[in-house]
Amino acid sequence: MLHLHLSEIAKIIDGELFAPKRSYSTIIETVITDSRSFHSGQNALFLALKGPVHNAHYFIPDLIEKGVRAFVVSDKESITDNAEFILVGNTTNALQKLAAYNRQHFHHPVVGITGSNGKTIVKEWLNELLSTERKIVRSPKSYNSQVGVPLSVLLMNDSYNLGIIEAGISQAGEMHNLEAIIQPEIGILTNIGDAHQEFFKSIEQKLHEKLVLFRYSKKLIARIDDETVSPVVELFCKENSIEPVFWSTQKKDAPIYFCVERKETSCNIHTKIGQSTYFFTIPFNDDSAIENACHCFATIVALGINPNQVLSRFSRLQQVAMRLEIKHGINNNILINDYYNSDLNSLQIALSVLKQQAVNDHQKKVVILSDIQQTGLPDKELYTEVNRLLGEWKIDKLVGIGPNISAHRDNFSIDADFFFNSNEFESRFPYHSIQSAAILIKGARHFRFEKVSGLLQQKAHQTVLEINLNALIHNLNVFRGLLKTETKIMVMVKAFSYGSGDVEIARLLQYQNVDYLAVAVADEGVQLRNAGINLPVIVMNPERDSFQNMISYQLEPNIYDTTLLQEFVKSLDEIGIRDFPIHLKIDTGMNRLGLKSEKELNECMRIIQHSDAVKIQSVFSHLAGSDEVALDEFTHSQFEKFERAFSLISNAFSYPIDRHILNSAGIERFPEKQYEMVRLGIGLYGVSQTGLSLDSIGTLKSTISQVKNIDEHETVGYNRKGKVSKQSKIAIVPIGYADGIDRKLGNKNGSAFVNGSRVPIIGNICMDMLMLDISLIEAKAGDRVEFFGPNVSITELAQQIDTIPYEILTGISQRVKRIYVQE
Ligand SMILES: *Cc1c(COP(=O)(O)O)cnc(C)c1O
């Protein structure tokens, strides 16, 4: 961004400056909004954003400590005299105004992209196609929201000569803001699908809203093959005097007509514009890739670049990897794979994930990095900058792979090894030199870093449980939205986080600032501590044998009876520990663990009053039927008993004690009983009792090992249970009841999702395999099979075998590898 004085910024964003005179001229070079990915305070301005569930003002004292000096805030109470502040009404608006100002000082063309699908791919492909012709500044990854767009536009400065920015909206009215920030001269309208349709009345309304982005554009690129879309877009261009750059694969008289000839794995595309004809090939043959490539071609024409200069590059386009994958590596390492195009911005995003997975500095941080291309910076400056970034993020070791990065080895001051290519890495790298580290592997697709990752990865099976960490964050935020900001959240990570993994989930939750974690037994807590988790942890089922571990690892027990309390106090007394936090569990009707009678409760209180070894951190109880309307009267009786027990306790102690009784369904149905804390479980993992819009976090998937044809008189599997009535096609899939697929799903009681359709499980399920009847669909060996996930809900699966989603999730066996993905 432009380098601006603090006082100039205050003017631009209409804010009131609270700073000593001399600091009016403090120069600001970068803007940060995420306190966690922050790494250097010099010349940075922190904008404290406020969302429905998130308030960044809270992090200000911490940031001051870390060296940030300048802040934009909307809460007057946050202003102190040990830093400089600008006070505004709304910090998100301030960010947008600042971005719009930066945009006005960028005197080169800006391309704006919106639509339902394809935005990021079109942007990335344009960047690949035009990297020789232009110095491009573009949105990092898919930063296209009300916050992402201004952050992208703030990256613009004089060293670039073309901007490509994407804009996404989820509600009517939002595009107006984004238009004012991006001000695109050239617009691209990608395909209009039904994504986010829930917030719009109709496809037309959504289309009109998206077109707002192009109101003042000079040219608009759009496909005119859709009968709903084309008339609206045509009229829009006419009314706003925009030059249409329309294209079609059907209408030969369109301004640009593409004739597509599909091959087995690629496509030849012929095109005619006026008198000129062009021909290019793309290495894909699916509809969306064809559409995205045509948008790119039309944009090149709209920019006035001679297409002949770039045609040959279309054949080298790569798939765009949008997601990071987190996997278990050899030697107890954690691998973070990022095949997204490497550039400095996406490197920073990936480094923040590395920091999260390494739990700050708990584990060594290693970065394996390819050459970085297409940044517009001279190599020497580029690698000096990379070295600076790696230093700021406290990276312990760099492994550089590629001719350019190797050639610039002298620019690196951190511990580093270099390899000319991945083959050399394979033969020369001392694999055992990295143990128990978090490793970021970052190299764009053409560097074939899949190979590098494959060498460091634990043997992966075809059958995996893929956990979507973005979905988990989404679900957490949905629940935060139901609660007051000050209510604490304890997340239940017992039973390997309901089957979804252990330390990875806890690390993410710690990064997301939840308040407490709960495990079932002490060993689970020890594992969390060893992985660097320092959140308070409660152990629901403390066993006497584990008291020593609980004390040394600071794991707080659930105290459910007097004997347990006496013995725990004794263990503490022996080593002279005082004020150890404990949690009193009241049995209000579940008749599981808990103090039930008033006599028991009084006895416990007496012990606690006469000892200084323990201190009551919280009092809690558990609902037996929070998800069942028919039990609401009973639930209310539980609340009453709980409140009565609590008042006895709180009257006897002078310090504050937290209360909690709500589990996930309880939070959804009785938010008025949130007290000081709630305990979130299944809801985080994507199951709602009341139809909240949660995302499914787990996908259990495998691939077809073999396909075979059988005759009508043949049978499939053990005991010849799989009978067919005609010639059939069968797929064998390497997942069985030992992986957690209940045997009751066999013999057509259950199904799987393959290539867009549901297909039944035929015959008995075996220990390690099962068979699908795929007679009605196209499928071949290697195709993907989903058992639950986005296309098959866990709730439905549970109903088929008369159980609950909890049992399905926790029943996926440990031999099924968990893979984590994050966008
Ligand atoms: C497991 C558990 C929860 C979480 O329940 P969900 O229904 O998964 O939200 C809460 N409290 C206690 C005591 C639990 O054991």
Side-chain angles (χ1 to χ4, degrees):
M1 71 177 250
L2 295 170
H3 294 179
L4 295 167
H5 290 164
L6 200 60
S7 57
E8 288 174 292
I9 292 183
K11 263 199 216 107
I12 295 165
I13 63 178
D14 288 331
E16 190 182 345
L17 191 57
F18 290 78
K21 263 261 155 39
R22 64 186 146 73
S23 50
Y24 282 21
S25 57
T26 305
I27 302 241
I28 300 298
E29 294 176 2
T30 46
V31 164
I32 46 181
T33 55
D34 183 343
S35 60
R36 297 161 305 195
S37 55
F38 152 80
H39 50 87
S40 156
Q42 273 191 351
N43 310 93
L45 176 69
F46 182 79
L47 272 110
L49 300 183
K50 243 185 187 176
V53 296
H54 179 83
N55 183 356
H57 289 78
Y58 176 77
F59 302 109
I60 292 174
D62 192 35
L63 287 165
I64 293 181
E65 198 145 292
K66 286 183 182 154
V68 184
R69 279 291 153 268
F71 296 86
V72 176
V73 297
S74 58
D75 290 354
K76 207 164 180 181
E77 306 81 75
S78 303
I79 297 177
T80 52
D81 53 14
N82 55 352
E84 293 133 26
F85 292 86
I86 302 174
L87 179 68
V88 294
N90 177 314
T91 43
T92 307
N93 290 350
L95 174 68
Q96 296 180 343
K97 281 183 199 158
L98 191 58
Y101 181 88
N102 198 52
R103 167 67 184 92
Q104 266 150 17
H105 290 78
F106 185 70
H107 302 294
H108 300 284
V110 172
V111 176
I113 311 179
T114 194
S116 307
N117 303 302
K119 297 184 285 291
T120 305
I121 297 172
V122 170
K123 179 196 68 190
E124 289 304 314
W125 280 3
L126 280 172
N127 181 60
E128 275 185 63
L129 292 166
L130 294 177
S131 61
T132 331
E133 278 70 24
R134 294 286 186 276
K135 290 186 159 50
I136 298 172
V137 53
R138 65 194 201 280
S139 326
K141 298 212 145 182
S142 42
Y143 273 32
N144 61 29
S145 65
Q146 296 287 313
V147 173
V149 167
L151 289 176
S152 304
V153 169
L154 281 169
L155 299 172
M156 290 179 183
N157 65 39
D158 272 347
S159 64
Y160 303 104
N161 58 20
L162 175 65
I164 307 180
I165 303 290
E166 55 173 292
I169 49 169
S170 50
Q171 294 184 34
E174 290 182 342
M175 194 59 96
H176 178 77
N177 289 342
L178 301 185
E179 190 280 325
I181 305 167
I182 304 173
Q183 302 167 26
E185 268 127 69
I186 295 178
I188 307 175
L189 179 70
T190 65
N191 135 327
I192 296 288
D194 47 16
H196 295 298
Q197 192 61 52
E198 68 264 33
F199 297 111
F200 295 95
K201 289 199 214 78
S202 62
I203 298 251
E204 283 82 359
Q205 191 209 6
K206 186 161 68 172
L207 182 57
H208 280 293
E209 173 72 20
K210 298 209 176 212
L211 286 171
V212 168
L213 178 62
F214 309 124
R215 240 182 340 185
Y216 305 111
S217 298
K218 295 201 182 94
K219 298 183 185 182
L220 176 60
I221 293 143
R223 181 181 194 168
I224 46 167
D225 291 331
D226 183 302
E227 295 316 316
T228 337
V229 175
S230 351
V232 181
V233 177
E234 277 164 17
L235 184 64
F236 174 81
C237 282
K238 210 170 275 160
E239 285 177 352
N240 295 284
S241 321
I242 299 166
E243 179 186 330
V245 186
F246 294 160
W247 63 267
S248 169
T249 55
Q250 290 157 20
K251 300 175 184 144
K252 292 209 164 123
D253 58 348
I256 307 180
Y257 167 69
F258 294 103
C259 171
V260 179
E261 183 194 344
R262 285 179 207 245
K263 305 276 180 186
E264 187 132 335
T265 57
S266 64
C267 266
N268 291 339
I269 302 180
H270 298 266
T271 177
K272 191 164 171 291
I273 309 172
Q275 295 310 308
S276 321
T277 57
Y278 303 94
F279 165 74
F280 59 95
T281 301
I282 58 170
F284 308 97
N285 70 355
D286 59 289
D287 290 343
S288 48
I290 294 169
E291 182 169 280
N292 294 333
C294 293
H295 276 305
C296 290
F297 185 92
T299 309
I300 290 164
V301 172
L303 282 165
I305 295 171
N306 179 354
N308 287 318
Q309 283 169 248
V310 285
L311 287 178
S312 64
R313 294 181 208 149
F314 277 90
S315 65
R316 295 193 296 270
L317 287 174
Q318 305 268 337
Q319 236 154 36
V320 178
M322 312 275 279
R323 310 191 300 179
L324 292 157
E325 280 175 355
I326 304 170
K327 294 182 172 176
H328 290 273
I330 55 170
N331 305 334
N332 198 26
N333 293 316
I334 285 181
L335 304 184
I336 302 163
N337 289 328
D338 183 4
Y339 304 129
Y340 189 80
N341 293 350
S342 24
D343 59 68
L344 291 173
N345 294 317
S346 78
L347 176 61
Q348 293 220 39
I349 297 172
L351 287 170
S352 76
V353 177
L354 177 63
K355 176 170 153 184
Q356 167 198 319
Q357 281 301 320
V359 209
N360 292 320
D361 303 321
H362 181 76
Q363 283 182 329
K364 266 202 149 146
K365 295 193 280 289
V366 178
V367 173
I368 303 184
L369 186 67
S370 69
D371 287 352
I372 298 186
Q373 295 179 319
Q374 305 159 355
T375 56
L377 284 178
D379 278 355
K380 187 165 185 298
E381 267 175 55
L382 170 68
Y383 291 110
T384 309
E385 177 64 13
V386 171
N387 178 57
R388 191 184 64 78
L389 276 179
L390 298 179
E392 279 185 355
W393 287 88
K394 303 205 178 80
I395 301 305
D396 299 283
K397 185 178 180 78
L398 167 71
V399 178
I401 305 180
N404 285 346
I405 195 168
S406 304
H408 291 85
R409 61 177 69 212
D410 293 344
N411 295 56
F412 290 93
S413 54
I414 75 165
D415 178 17
D417 280 342
F418 294 90
F419 300 89
F420 203 69
N421 53 36
S422 54
N423 287 339
E424 194 200 349
F425 173 84
E426 178 173 11
S427 56
R428 249 194 351 100
F429 186 71
Y431 292 94
H432 291 280
S433 66
I434 307 182
Q435 305 264 355
S436 306
I439 307 176
L440 170 66
I441 302 176
K442 181 144 179 71
R445 277 273 149 88
H446 12 264
F447 295 100
R448 310 245 171 269
F449 264 29
E450 290 89 341
K451 180 172 178 181
V452 172
S453 166
L455 294 165
L456 294 169
Q457 192 180 316
Q458 270 184 3
K459 281 277 156 287
H461 298 269
Q462 283 171 7
T463 299
V464 295
L465 179 59
E466 183 183 281
I467 305 293
N468 181 339
L469 298 178
N470 293 95
L472 195 118
I473 297 170
H474 167 81
N475 296 343
L476 176 63
N477 285 334
V478 168
F479 278 91
R480 280 185 166 154
L482 300 178
L483 298 167
K484 298 185 199 137
T485 23
E486 65 271 22
T487 305
K488 296 179 201 169
I489 298 185
M490 174 185 291
V491 176
M492 312 305 289
V493 294
K494 59 192 181 191
F496 297 104
S497 298
Y498 290 43
S500 63
D502 43 339
V503 300
E504 292 82 2
I505 302 286
R507 284 172 172 165
L508 183 76
L509 292 168
Q510 175 157 305
Y511 198 70
Q512 294 293 327
N513 296 308
V514 307
D515 301 278
Y516 249 94
L517 295 177
V519 295
V521 293
D523 283 351
E524 294 177 337
V526 172
Q527 221 174 1
L528 294 182
R529 289 283 182 253
N530 286 336
I533 302 295
N534 51 26
L535 285 175
V537 173
I538 174 170
V539 178
M540 286 298 171
N541 205 346
E543 291 160 19
R544 286 164 185 83
D545 290 344
S546 59
F547 283 173
Q548 279 318 318
N549 266 347
M550 294 184 48
I551 295 166
S552 25
Y553 287 88
Q554 191 70 24
L555 305 169
E556 306 169 12
N558 158 19
I559 297 294
Y560 56 83
D561 75 22
T562 351
T563 337
L564 177 74
L565 176 62
Q566 276 163 336
E567 290 175 18
F568 193 66
V569 166
K570 191 162 153 245
S571 302
L572 291 165
D573 283 341
E574 277 162 14
I575 34 182
I577 291 200
R578 307 176 70 176
D579 288 339
F580 198 92
I582 59 169
H583 303 264
L584 291 188
K585 172 94 180 260
I586 312 296
D587 183 355
T588 54
M590 176 92 167
N591 283 316
R592 209 168 66 173
L593 296 179
L595 302 162
K596 196 167 176 187
S597 68
E598 209 171 303
K599 179 165 163 281
E600 264 179 309
L601 186 57
N602 283 328
E603 211 170 310
C604 277
M605 291 200 291
R606 198 184 45 77
I607 299 169
I608 298 166
Q609 280 165 332
H610 289 91
S611 153
D612 47 15
V614 294
K615 165 171 174 276
I616 309 173
Q617 183 69 31
S618 82
V619 173
F620 73 109
S621 184
H622 195 38
L623 298 173
S626 59
D627 56 339
E628 208 175 327
V629 181
L631 295 177
D632 282 358
E633 201 176 318
F634 181 78
T635 302
H636 281 289
S637 77
Q638 287 198 277
F639 291 138
E640 274 164 36
K641 283 190 187 144
F642 179 60
E643 284 171 12
R644 222 174 307 130
F646 180 77
S647 67
L648 281 180
I649 300 166
S650 65
N651 286 338
F653 294 88
S654 57
Y655 51 81
I657 297 174
D658 288 347
R659 297 164 288 175
H660 44 110
I661 189 165
L662 299 181
N663 64 342
S664 306
I667 303 171
E668 291 178 51
R669 302 196 53 239
F670 307 99
E672 69 280 8
K673 298 292 183 192
Q674 59 191 274
Y675 305 117
E676 288 75 38
M677 183 146 77
V678 296
R679 299 188 305 272
L680 180 59
I682 195 91
L684 184 70
Y685 307 102
V687 179
S688 164
Q689 310 294 337
T690 62
L692 285 181
S693 78
L694 302 177
D695 289 345
S696 89
I697 78 150
T699 304
L700 180 62
K701 60 183 188 182
S702 187
T703 49
I704 296 177
S705 310
Q706 192 181 29
V707 169
K708 54 181 54 151
N709 293 303
I710 60 167
D711 284 331
E712 59 187 73
H713 54 84
E714 291 189 90
T715 58
V716 179
Y718 283 121
N719 307 95
R720 308 199 63 187
K721 288 283 193 219
K723 298 201 170 59
V724 292
S725 55
K726 53 180 177 19
Q727 271 208 344
S728 298
K729 203 165 52 164
I730 303 299
I732 296 104
V733 186
I735 184 170
Y737 57 78
D739 297 294
I741 296 284
D742 196 302
R743 215 171 149 273
K744 293 203 256 335
L745 287 166
N747 299 310
K748 307 209 169 166
N749 293 325
S751 62
F753 185 85
V754 182
N755 296 342
S757 307
R758 288 289 188 91
V759 290
I761 299 176
I762 181 168
N764 281 327
I765 293 177
C766 315
M767 188 182 292
D768 310 312
M769 269 175 271
L770 56 75
M771 280 66 88
L772 300 171
D773 184 343
I774 53 165
S775 305
L776 299 177
I777 66 163
E778 286 296 319
K780 56 183 186 311
D783 285 357
R784 178 180 158 162
V785 182
E786 174 185 322
F787 290 93
F788 63 72
N791 300 296
V792 184
S793 87
I794 296 183
T795 311
E796 176 197 331
L797 193 63
Q799 277 160 3
Q800 281 167 354
I801 50 172
D802 201 15
T803 182
I804 49 176
Y806 300 72
E807 190 178 347
I808 305 262
L809 281 170
T810 55
I812 304 305
S813 89
Q814 285 301 304
R815 83 171 182 191
V816 175
K817 288 274 175 296
R818 271 68 171 165
I819 297 181
Y820 302 87
V821 297
Q822 187 166 3
E823 263 158 32

